[in-house]
Amino acid sequence: MPHTFEARIASYTERVNARLDAALPRASTHPARLHEAMRYGVFNGGKRVRPLLVYATGECLGVDGEVLDAPAVAIELIHAFSLIHDDLPAMDDDDLRRGKPTVHIEFDEATAILAADALQPLAFSVLAGLEGAPAGSSIKLVRLVADACGSIGMTGGQSIDLAAEGKTLGREQLEHMYALKTGALIHASIVSACLLHEGLAAEKATVLDRFARSIGIAFQIKDDILDVEGETHIIGKTAGADELHHKSTYPALFGVGESRRRCDELLQRALDELQIFGDSAAPLEWLARFIVARGK
Ligand code: GRG
């Protein structure tokens, strides 16, 4: 294992890609077009931030890498499914994702819906197959990820987001929507590693919970800033799409300067939380900074 986290990022990314490859049916497996689309939606690029958060939290707590693979893979599968749905004509109607045609453009709308539909249960199958973890971990992870993905998590956030188009949300309402739409899966990534640590001290669990909440909201504010300031060929999706759809976003409601200030404030709050872990939190610190500084 390389010494610095920067160097380990590449090996963790390679690792989760290999586990994703093993979890997904071969592209040639019948019905091949569906399996091709599922693989396209997962392997068309992607920073793998959520799996990296799982592994970094595991490093912070001293949880064995092998048991982290299941939540890392499952959460990335859920993320991939949400992006496919998010890009559909009935949602954000986007042609470009990660610099490539979206799944419904590359294949067709029905295949894209089905591919996303099939990625979601595959995630739970991966969690159900977890081995070598403390007793009861598998079912706890299923519940954690289900809640993060469902109506009290990501799907609920997306529903609020769509209903807010053309409206003016207050700061609290906006951050609540971000906490659900984007924050819930980020939060689940961190909490999944906590669940795999038997007998984790309540104080440490609380600190990581707060870290996860801050960084989840910061992630979406940064995504909004990139939509305003980024260039399509760099961010890999259509720049300016939020304004086009009259989305309620941080920059639209409070301006880019205030969005940056809030992002930095949330980052600082998140970093302050990590103090009690000392050097073992270096990977999480690195990822928190990356989330706020990233260019795509
Ligand atoms: C229909 C059950 C059901 C769920 C779908 C569409 C949807 C509900 C939720 C969408 C949630 C969503 C797309 C939130 C945005 C999150 C976000 C900022 C995504 C970009 O994440 P990155 O930057 O992407 O990690 P990469 O490409 O690096 O993986």
Side-chain angles (χ1 to χ4, degrees):
M1 204 30 95
H3 186 59
T4 63
F5 189 70
E6 286 95 324
R8 290 204 295 286
I9 291 270
S11 77
Y12 278 134
T13 305
E14 214 175 286
R15 177 186 181 125
V16 76
N17 283 338
R19 302 297 189 274
L20 284 162
D21 183 50
L24 281 154
R26 302 293 94 203
S28 55
T29 301
H30 182 66
R33 189 170 167 80
L34 175 64
H35 292 131
E36 267 172 50
M38 288 166 73
R39 289 184 155 267
Y40 181 85
V42 172
F43 292 113
N44 59 346
K47 299 180 289 295
R48 310 302 193 213
V49 168
R50 293 152 194 81
L52 290 170
L53 283 167
V54 175
Y55 292 120
T57 309
E59 279 201 20
C60 181
L61 298 175
V63 176
D64 171 45
E66 292 291 317
V67 294
L68 298 169
D69 289 336
V73 166
I75 291 171
E76 189 63 18
L77 290 171
I78 296 283
H79 170 61
F81 128 77
S82 79
L83 297 183
I84 297 172
H85 273 191
D86 192 48
D87 292 332
L88 287 170
M91 303 249 184
D92 282 358
D93 191 14
D94 222 316
D95 290 359
L96 206 60
R97 167 74 62 184
R98 297 165 169 170
K100 301 196 179 78
T102 45
V103 180
H104 66 277
I105 297 293
E106 182 69 15
F107 292 82
D108 56 78
E109 206 177 323
T111 304
I113 292 170
L114 292 175
D117 284 347
L119 288 172
Q120 190 187 31
L122 181 60
F124 294 106
S125 172
V126 167
L127 291 177
L130 173 67
E131 283 172 4
S137 303
S138 182
I139 200 73
K140 284 186 198 157
L141 287 171
V142 166
R143 179 140 206 199
L144 173 79
V145 176
D147 286 349
C149 169
S151 62
I152 54 168
M154 180 180 76
T155 308
Q158 179 79 349
S159 169
I160 299 170
D161 189 9
L162 292 173
E165 280 178 18
K167 301 212 175 85
T168 304
L169 296 187
R171 188 187 291 259
E172 232 173 82
Q173 291 170 304
L174 187 66
E175 290 201 5
H176 174 65
M177 184 250 279
Y178 285 9
L180 297 185
K181 181 178 87 155
T182 307
L185 269 197
I186 304 261
H187 181 259
S189 307
I190 290 153
V191 175
S192 66
C194 296
L195 283 182
L196 290 166
H197 184 287
E198 221 169 5
L200 179 64
E203 189 199 1
K204 289 186 174 174
T206 304
V207 158
L208 285 169
D209 177 86
R210 285 199 299 252
F211 168 83
R213 288 177 198 278
S214 292
I215 216 63
I217 296 172
F219 193 102
Q220 183 57 51
I221 300 177
K222 178 66 189 196
D223 201 69
D224 293 348
I225 297 172
L226 288 170
D227 184 84
V228 174
E229 294 196 327
E231 290 173 53
T232 299
H233 73 281
I234 295 174
I235 62 174
K237 54 186 180 171
T238 316
D242 290 343
E243 195 183 348
L244 202 70
H245 290 102
H246 309 288
K247 286 265 184 199
S248 257
T249 68
Y250 232 93
L253 295 173
F254 307 109
V256 171
E258 172 57 14
S259 305
R260 267 206 210 94
R261 189 204 63 76
R262 182 62 177 147
C263 227
D264 289 342
E265 183 177 69
L266 287 163
L267 171 64
Q268 196 49 55
R269 190 180 292 178
L271 295 178
D272 289 346
E273 296 290 357
L274 297 178
Q275 296 293 325
I276 65 161
F277 293 106
D279 288 350
S280 64
L284 275 180
E285 185 178 325
W286 190 96
L287 277 172
R289 290 187 194 281
F290 169 78
I291 282 167
V292 169
R294 73 192 200 273
K296 62 174 185 170

